[in-house]
Amino acid sequence: IDITADIRLPAVFPGAWLVASVTSRDKYVYWASTAVNDFVQPGETGKVFLSLRLSDIELRHRGLKLTVYLWNPMKLPCMIDNFRIRVRSGNPYLYGLIRQF
C-alpha cells in the first residue's frame, strides 16, 4: 500500500508525521509513520511517501481497518494536496516465502 501527499510547509515548521495504522475491533494490529521533514524542508513544497508491506501486517484478524492521517502536534498550518492511497501489486516471490498462495 503506497501513501503519498504533496505538502507545502511554512518557513518555521518543527515537524509532522504521515501515519498509517491498521486496527481490528479498535485494537492496533500494525502502525507505521514517517517524518514529513525527512522529505520536505520548512518553507518548501514536496511529496511525502509511506509504504506498507502486507507481509508485515498480521492479516488473520477480522474487520481490518486502515486509517491514514497527518499528525501535526503543533497544529501549525500547512497545505496538503493530492493525498493518495494506492494498492500496488507486490513481488509474488517475496509474499510466497511468508504466506502460501
Side-chain angles (χ1 to χ4, degrees):
I1 300 173
D2 294 326
I3 304 158
T4 60
D6 294 334
I7 191 164
R8 183 172 18 158
L9 299 179
V12 176
F13 194 78
W17 289 262
L18 182 59
V19 179
S21 67
V22 178
T23 56
S24 173
R25 298 181 184 152
D26 296 327
K27 293 186 180 180
Y28 284 98
V29 173
Y30 185 81
W31 184 91
S33 71
T34 189
V36 170
N37 288 357
D38 287 349
F39 297 93
V40 183
Q41 297 303 310
E44 295 181 2
T45 300
K47 190 177 288 278
V48 180
F49 301 90
L50 178 61
S51 290
L52 309 177
R53 287 181 7 170
L54 292 180
S55 62
D56 293 341
I57 302 170
E58 184 56 59
L59 299 175
R60 65 180 168 85
H61 301 279
R62 294 191 178 267
L64 292 175
K65 177 181 172 184
L66 173 67
T67 304
V68 179
Y69 57 94
L70 186 76
W71 182 49
N72 181 358
M74 300 299 288
K75 297 182 176 32
L76 294 173
C78 61
M79 180 72 89
I80 302 170
D81 196 13
N82 297 325
F83 198 98
R84 297 181 67 185
I85 301 171
R86 184 177 76 109
V87 177
R88 176 172 37 102
S89 43
N91 180 341
Y93 297 107
L94 173 67
Y95 293 117
L97 293 173
I98 299 167
R99 299 197 187 279
Q100 194 169 20
F101 289 103

